[in-house]
Amino acid sequence: MRRIERHASFGGWQDVYEIDSTALGVPTRVGVYLPPQAAHGRCPVLYWLSGLTCSEQNFIAKAGAQRHAAEHGLILVAPDTSPRGEGVADADGYDIGIGAGFYVDAIQAPWRQHYRMHEYVVHELPAWVEGTFAANDARGISGHSMGGHGALVIALRNPGRYRSVSAFSPIVAPSKVPWGAKVFAAYLGSDRASWNEWDACALAGTAVERLPLLVDQGLDDEFLDSQLQPERLRAACEATGHPLHLRLRPGYDHSYYFIASFMGEHVAHHAAALS
Protein backbone atom coordinates (compact mmCIF):
# COMPACT_ATOMS: atom_id res chain seq x y z
CA MET A 1 0.00 0.00 0.00
CA ARG A 2 1.42 3.35 -1.06
CA ARG A 3 -0.33 6.67 -0.48
CA ILE A 4 0.42 8.87 -3.48
CA GLU A 5 -1.95 11.82 -2.84
CA ARG A 6 -3.43 13.54 0.22
CA HIS A 7 -5.65 16.62 0.21
CA ALA A 8 -7.59 18.17 3.11
CA SER A 9 -11.28 18.33 2.15
CA PHE A 10 -14.33 19.38 4.22
CA GLY A 11 -12.64 18.48 7.47
CA GLY A 12 -11.50 15.09 6.21
CA TRP A 13 -8.91 13.73 3.79
CA GLN A 14 -9.06 12.87 0.10
CA ASP A 15 -6.34 10.29 -0.45
CA VAL A 16 -5.23 8.20 -3.41
CA TYR A 17 -3.49 4.88 -2.82
CA GLU A 18 -1.75 2.38 -5.02
CA ILE A 19 -2.28 -1.19 -3.86
CA ASP A 20 -1.06 -4.53 -5.18
CA SER A 21 -4.16 -6.39 -6.32
CA THR A 22 -4.21 -10.16 -6.32
CA ALA A 23 -7.44 -10.25 -8.34
CA LEU A 24 -6.08 -7.98 -11.08
CA GLY A 25 -2.50 -9.18 -10.90
CA VAL A 26 -1.10 -5.63 -11.10
CA PRO A 27 -0.86 -2.56 -8.88
CA THR A 28 -3.98 -0.42 -9.07
CA ARG A 29 -5.02 2.98 -7.76
CA VAL A 30 -8.02 3.83 -5.63
CA GLY A 31 -9.35 7.09 -4.23
CA VAL A 32 -10.41 7.04 -0.55
CA TYR A 33 -12.19 9.95 1.13
CA LEU A 34 -12.12 9.80 4.92
CA PRO A 35 -14.73 12.11 6.49
CA PRO A 36 -13.97 13.89 9.77
CA GLN A 37 -16.09 11.32 11.64
CA ALA A 38 -13.54 8.60 10.73
CA ALA A 39 -11.12 10.14 13.23
CA HIS A 40 -13.50 9.17 16.07
CA GLY A 41 -15.02 5.84 15.06
CA ARG A 42 -15.86 3.45 12.27
CA CYS A 43 -17.94 4.72 9.34
CA PRO A 44 -20.00 3.06 6.59
CA VAL A 45 -18.57 2.97 3.06
CA LEU A 46 -19.99 4.07 -0.27
CA TYR A 47 -18.24 2.54 -3.29
CA TRP A 48 -18.28 4.51 -6.55
CA LEU A 49 -17.71 2.88 -9.95
CA SER A 50 -16.77 5.24 -12.77
CA GLY A 51 -17.51 4.95 -16.48
CA LEU A 52 -15.65 4.36 -19.73
CA THR A 53 -12.25 6.07 -20.12
CA CYS A 54 -12.21 7.16 -16.46
CA SER A 55 -9.74 6.49 -13.67
CA GLU A 56 -10.14 7.10 -9.94
CA GLN A 57 -9.49 10.79 -10.61
CA ASN A 58 -12.71 11.72 -12.42
CA PHE A 59 -15.01 11.11 -9.49
CA ILE A 60 -12.84 12.56 -6.75
CA ALA A 61 -12.17 15.76 -8.74
CA LYS A 62 -15.54 16.42 -10.42
CA ALA A 63 -18.47 14.92 -8.49
CA GLY A 64 -18.36 17.17 -5.43
CA ALA A 65 -19.13 14.17 -3.25
CA GLN A 66 -16.73 14.92 -0.40
CA ARG A 67 -18.92 17.70 1.00
CA HIS A 68 -21.92 15.37 1.23
CA ALA A 69 -19.87 12.47 2.59
CA ALA A 70 -18.51 14.72 5.34
CA GLU A 71 -22.05 15.79 6.24
CA HIS A 72 -23.25 12.20 6.57
CA GLY A 73 -20.08 10.52 7.83
CA LEU A 74 -19.49 8.21 4.86
CA ILE A 75 -16.17 6.92 3.58
CA LEU A 76 -16.01 7.17 -0.23
CA VAL A 77 -14.03 4.59 -2.20
CA ALA A 78 -13.45 5.11 -5.93
CA PRO A 79 -11.41 2.40 -7.71
CA ASP A 80 -9.99 2.59 -11.22
CA THR A 81 -12.12 1.29 -14.09
CA SER A 82 -9.76 -1.46 -15.26
CA PRO A 83 -6.36 -2.98 -14.64
CA ARG A 84 -3.47 -1.03 -16.12
CA GLY A 85 0.25 -1.55 -16.62
CA GLU A 86 2.79 -3.69 -18.37
CA GLY A 87 1.36 -6.91 -19.72
CA VAL A 88 -2.30 -5.87 -19.38
CA ALA A 89 -4.28 -6.66 -22.55
CA ASP A 90 -5.65 -3.76 -24.54
CA ALA A 91 -7.38 -3.11 -27.88
CA ASP A 92 -8.17 -0.26 -30.21
CA GLY A 93 -11.08 1.89 -29.10
CA TYR A 94 -12.10 3.64 -25.91
CA ASP A 95 -14.83 1.10 -25.18
CA ILE A 96 -12.74 -2.06 -24.74
CA GLY A 97 -9.59 -2.87 -22.84
CA ILE A 98 -7.83 -0.39 -20.56
CA GLY A 99 -10.37 2.03 -19.07
CA ALA A 100 -13.22 -0.33 -19.96
CA GLY A 101 -13.20 -3.19 -17.45
CA PHE A 102 -17.03 -3.33 -17.34
CA TYR A 103 -16.90 -4.77 -13.81
CA VAL A 104 -17.09 -8.38 -15.01
CA ASP A 105 -14.72 -11.31 -14.54
CA ALA A 106 -13.39 -12.12 -18.00
CA ILE A 107 -13.05 -15.76 -19.01
CA GLN A 108 -11.62 -15.33 -22.53
CA ALA A 109 -7.96 -14.94 -23.45
CA PRO A 110 -6.16 -12.55 -23.33
CA TRP A 111 -8.49 -10.72 -20.95
CA ARG A 112 -8.92 -13.33 -18.23
CA GLN A 113 -5.43 -12.85 -16.78
CA HIS A 114 -6.11 -9.35 -15.44
CA TYR A 115 -9.71 -8.31 -16.15
CA ARG A 116 -11.35 -9.53 -12.95
CA MET A 117 -13.00 -6.32 -11.84
CA HIS A 118 -16.00 -7.99 -10.20
CA GLU A 119 -13.80 -10.10 -7.94
CA TYR A 120 -11.69 -7.05 -7.11
CA VAL A 121 -14.60 -4.69 -6.32
CA VAL A 122 -16.78 -7.19 -4.45
CA HIS A 123 -14.21 -9.03 -2.35
CA GLU A 124 -10.62 -7.78 -2.45
CA LEU A 125 -11.27 -4.03 -2.26
CA PRO A 126 -13.72 -4.12 0.71
CA ALA A 127 -11.39 -6.47 2.60
CA TRP A 128 -8.58 -3.94 2.14
CA VAL A 129 -10.77 -0.95 3.05
CA GLU A 130 -12.24 -2.55 6.16
CA GLY A 131 -8.84 -3.81 7.29
CA THR A 132 -7.01 -0.54 6.72
CA PHE A 133 -9.34 2.34 7.62
CA ALA A 134 -11.97 3.16 10.24
CA ALA A 135 -14.62 1.44 8.14
CA ASN A 136 -17.40 -0.87 9.25
CA ASP A 137 -19.05 -3.50 7.05
CA ALA A 138 -22.09 -1.38 6.08
CA ARG A 139 -21.66 -0.92 2.31
CA GLY A 140 -23.44 0.96 -0.44
CA ILE A 141 -22.54 1.05 -4.12
CA SER A 142 -23.13 3.58 -6.89
CA GLY A 143 -21.72 4.49 -10.28
CA HIS A 144 -22.07 6.20 -13.63
CA SER A 145 -22.64 4.78 -17.12
CA MET A 146 -20.44 1.65 -17.33
CA GLY A 147 -20.02 2.10 -13.57
CA GLY A 148 -23.79 2.40 -13.14
CA HIS A 149 -24.06 -0.96 -14.89
CA GLY A 150 -21.40 -2.27 -12.51
CA ALA A 151 -23.17 -0.97 -9.41
CA LEU A 152 -26.54 -2.45 -10.36
CA VAL A 153 -25.11 -5.81 -11.42
CA ILE A 154 -22.83 -6.15 -8.40
CA ALA A 155 -25.65 -5.36 -5.98
CA LEU A 156 -28.07 -7.74 -7.71
CA ARG A 157 -25.50 -10.56 -7.93
CA ASN A 158 -24.43 -10.33 -4.29
CA PRO A 159 -27.50 -10.32 -2.02
CA GLY A 160 -26.83 -9.22 1.54
CA ARG A 161 -23.49 -7.62 0.73
CA TYR A 162 -24.79 -4.08 0.11
CA ARG A 163 -27.46 -2.12 1.93
CA SER A 164 -28.04 0.41 -0.86
CA VAL A 165 -27.47 0.89 -4.57
CA SER A 166 -27.87 3.77 -7.01
CA ALA A 167 -26.75 4.73 -10.49
CA PHE A 168 -26.42 7.66 -12.86
CA SER A 169 -27.05 6.98 -16.57
CA PRO A 170 -26.41 3.23 -16.24
CA ILE A 171 -26.05 0.78 -19.11
CA VAL A 172 -29.01 -1.28 -17.89
CA ALA A 173 -29.09 -3.92 -20.66
CA PRO A 174 -25.49 -4.34 -21.83
CA SER A 175 -26.26 -7.58 -23.64
CA LYS A 176 -28.66 -5.65 -25.90
CA VAL A 177 -26.60 -2.54 -26.79
CA PRO A 178 -23.38 -1.99 -28.76
CA TRP A 179 -21.10 -1.09 -25.85
CA GLY A 180 -21.97 -4.21 -23.90
CA ALA A 181 -22.20 -6.62 -26.83
CA LYS A 182 -18.70 -5.67 -28.02
CA VAL A 183 -17.09 -6.14 -24.63
CA PHE A 184 -19.10 -9.18 -23.57
CA ALA A 185 -18.17 -11.04 -26.75
CA ALA A 186 -14.50 -10.32 -26.10
CA TYR A 187 -14.41 -10.88 -22.34
CA LEU A 188 -17.08 -13.56 -21.90
CA GLY A 189 -17.30 -15.38 -25.25
CA SER A 190 -20.04 -16.01 -27.77
CA ASP A 191 -22.59 -17.71 -25.48
CA ARG A 192 -25.13 -14.91 -25.22
CA ALA A 193 -27.15 -16.77 -22.60
CA SER A 194 -24.22 -16.42 -20.20
CA TRP A 195 -24.22 -12.65 -20.69
CA ASN A 196 -27.43 -12.46 -18.64
CA GLU A 197 -25.32 -13.04 -15.53
CA TRP A 198 -23.91 -9.54 -16.07
CA ASP A 199 -27.07 -7.76 -17.25
CA ALA A 200 -29.12 -5.72 -14.74
CA CYS A 201 -32.39 -6.19 -16.61
CA ALA A 202 -31.97 -9.96 -16.62
CA LEU A 203 -30.83 -10.05 -13.00
CA ALA A 204 -33.78 -7.97 -11.80
CA GLY A 205 -36.03 -10.83 -12.80
CA THR A 206 -34.16 -13.44 -10.76
CA ALA A 207 -32.90 -11.42 -7.77
CA VAL A 208 -33.60 -13.07 -4.41
CA GLU A 209 -33.16 -9.75 -2.57
CA ARG A 210 -35.43 -6.82 -3.40
CA LEU A 211 -32.90 -4.07 -2.79
CA PRO A 212 -34.46 -0.80 -4.06
CA LEU A 213 -32.75 0.65 -7.15
CA LEU A 214 -32.32 4.43 -7.42
CA VAL A 215 -31.52 5.59 -10.97
CA ASP A 216 -31.11 9.11 -12.36
CA GLN A 217 -31.04 9.59 -16.14
CA GLY A 218 -30.62 12.82 -18.10
CA LEU A 219 -33.03 13.19 -21.01
CA ASP A 220 -30.47 15.15 -23.07
CA ASP A 221 -27.92 12.35 -22.73
CA GLU A 222 -26.35 11.68 -26.13
CA PHE A 223 -26.24 7.95 -25.35
CA LEU A 224 -29.82 7.66 -24.08
CA ASP A 225 -31.41 5.81 -26.99
CA SER A 226 -28.40 3.97 -28.39
CA GLN A 227 -26.66 2.62 -25.27
CA LEU A 228 -28.59 3.29 -22.04
CA GLN A 229 -32.30 2.61 -22.67
CA PRO A 230 -33.59 3.01 -19.10
CA GLU A 231 -37.09 1.95 -20.10
CA ARG A 232 -35.77 -1.60 -20.39
CA LEU A 233 -34.98 -1.54 -16.67
CA ARG A 234 -38.38 -0.05 -15.85
CA ALA A 235 -40.11 -2.84 -17.78
CA ALA A 236 -37.98 -5.55 -16.16
CA CYS A 237 -38.65 -4.26 -12.67
CA GLU A 238 -42.38 -3.80 -13.28
CA ALA A 239 -42.62 -7.36 -14.59
CA THR A 240 -41.15 -8.82 -11.42
CA GLY A 241 -42.11 -6.25 -8.80
CA HIS A 242 -38.54 -5.21 -8.13
CA PRO A 243 -38.52 -1.76 -6.46
CA LEU A 244 -37.15 0.93 -8.80
CA HIS A 245 -37.11 4.73 -8.50
CA LEU A 246 -36.24 5.94 -12.01
CA ARG A 247 -35.93 9.72 -12.29
CA LEU A 248 -35.75 11.18 -15.81
CA ARG A 249 -34.12 14.61 -15.71
CA PRO A 250 -34.95 17.05 -18.55
CA GLY A 251 -32.01 19.05 -19.89
CA TYR A 252 -29.24 16.97 -18.30
CA ASP A 253 -26.59 15.14 -20.33
CA HIS A 254 -24.04 12.38 -19.64
CA SER A 255 -21.42 14.57 -17.95
CA TYR A 256 -20.23 15.17 -14.42
CA TYR A 257 -22.26 18.38 -14.43
CA PHE A 258 -25.27 16.06 -14.25
CA ILE A 259 -23.69 13.84 -11.61
CA ALA A 260 -22.67 16.76 -9.39
CA SER A 261 -26.19 18.22 -9.60
CA PHE A 262 -27.77 15.22 -7.86
CA MET A 263 -24.84 13.71 -5.97
CA GLY A 264 -26.11 15.11 -2.69
CA GLU A 265 -29.41 13.29 -3.09
CA HIS A 266 -27.65 10.02 -3.86
CA VAL A 267 -25.30 10.31 -0.88
CA ALA A 268 -28.28 11.06 1.37
CA HIS A 269 -30.08 8.00 -0.05
CA HIS A 270 -27.13 5.79 0.84
CA ALA A 271 -26.58 7.42 4.23
CA ALA A 272 -30.18 6.67 5.24
CA ALA A 273 -29.71 2.99 4.42
CA LEU A 274 -26.19 2.68 5.81
CA SER A 275 -26.94 4.29 9.16
Side-chain angles (χ1 to χ4, degrees):
M1 182 180 80
R2 297 163 291 280
R3 190 174 69 202
I4 58 178
E5 288 186 33
R6 166 155 276 203
H7 309 282
S9 181
F10 294 100
W13 297 100
Q14 178 61 65
D15 296 339
V16 176
Y17 291 87
E18 184 176 72
I19 60 176
D20 296 322
S21 169
T22 300
L24 304 181
V26 290
T28 187
R29 292 187 177 187
V30 55
V32 179
Y33 176 70
L34 300 172
Q37 294 89 337
H40 308 289
R42 294 192 173 273
C43 299
V45 184
L46 176 58
Y47 292 85
W48 173 269
L49 306 182
S50 292
L52 286 166
T53 76
C54 291
S55 70
E56 82 289 341
Q57 291 292 325
N58 299 73
F59 174 73
I60 67 176
K62 296 180 179 180
Q66 294 91 344
R67 174 182 179 179
H68 308 295
E71 177 185 350
H72 294 286
L74 298 185
I75 295 172
L76 300 176
V77 176
D80 203 347
T81 53
S82 77
R84 300 175 192 262
E86 185 177 352
V88 174
D90 198 10
D92 291 336
Y94 72 94
D95 53 355
I96 188 170
I98 291 175
F102 259 82
Y103 305 101
V104 304
D105 288 340
I107 59 174
Q108 295 283 107
W111 312 102
R112 64 188 176 209
Q113 181 178 358
H114 297 293
Y115 284 75
R116 300 188 58 78
M117 290 298 294
H118 179 269
E119 175 67 22
Y120 168 65
V121 169
V122 174
H123 298 292
E124 185 177 20
L125 185 58
W128 174 73
V129 169
E130 292 163 22
T132 304
F133 306 103
N136 60 35
D137 62 358
R139 310 177 194 98
I141 192 164
S142 186
H144 170 236
S145 193
M146 176 186 73
H149 141 77
L152 295 175
V153 166
I154 284 172
L156 291 167
R157 282 176 59 101
N158 296 277
R161 192 154 183 82
Y162 301 91
R163 298 187 187 179
S164 56
V165 57
S166 73
F168 291 85
S169 314
I171 308 168
V172 301
S175 64
K176 302 292 194 298
V177 300
W179 275 342
K182 178 180 181 178
V183 167
F184 282 10
Y187 295 175
L188 304 174
S190 58
D191 179 11
R192 285 180 171 264
S194 70
W195 296 2
N196 287 336
E197 299 175 18
W198 306 98
D199 186 300
C201 287
L203 291 169
T206 60
V208 298
E209 180 185 39
R210 296 302 189 187
L211 192 65
L213 311 180
L214 172 63
V215 174
D216 268 300
Q217 173 64 61
L219 290 179
D220 279 18
D221 192 316
E222 61 268 43
F223 305 112
L224 178 63
D225 295 328
S226 60
Q227 305 282 8
L228 306 178
Q229 303 178 6
E231 292 303 325
R232 287 183 181 270
L233 183 62
R234 189 198 299 275
C237 289
E238 286 179 350
T240 60
H242 197 106
L244 168 68
H245 189 189
L246 174 61
R247 305 189 295 195
L248 304 177
R249 303 290 194 174
Y252 287 91
D253 58 20
H254 200 69
S255 71
Y256 267 84
Y257 295 107
F258 168 50
I259 295 169
S261 297
F262 302 104
M263 179 55 64
E265 295 179 23
H266 279 244
V267 172
H269 163 79
H270 289 280
L274 294 173
S275 63

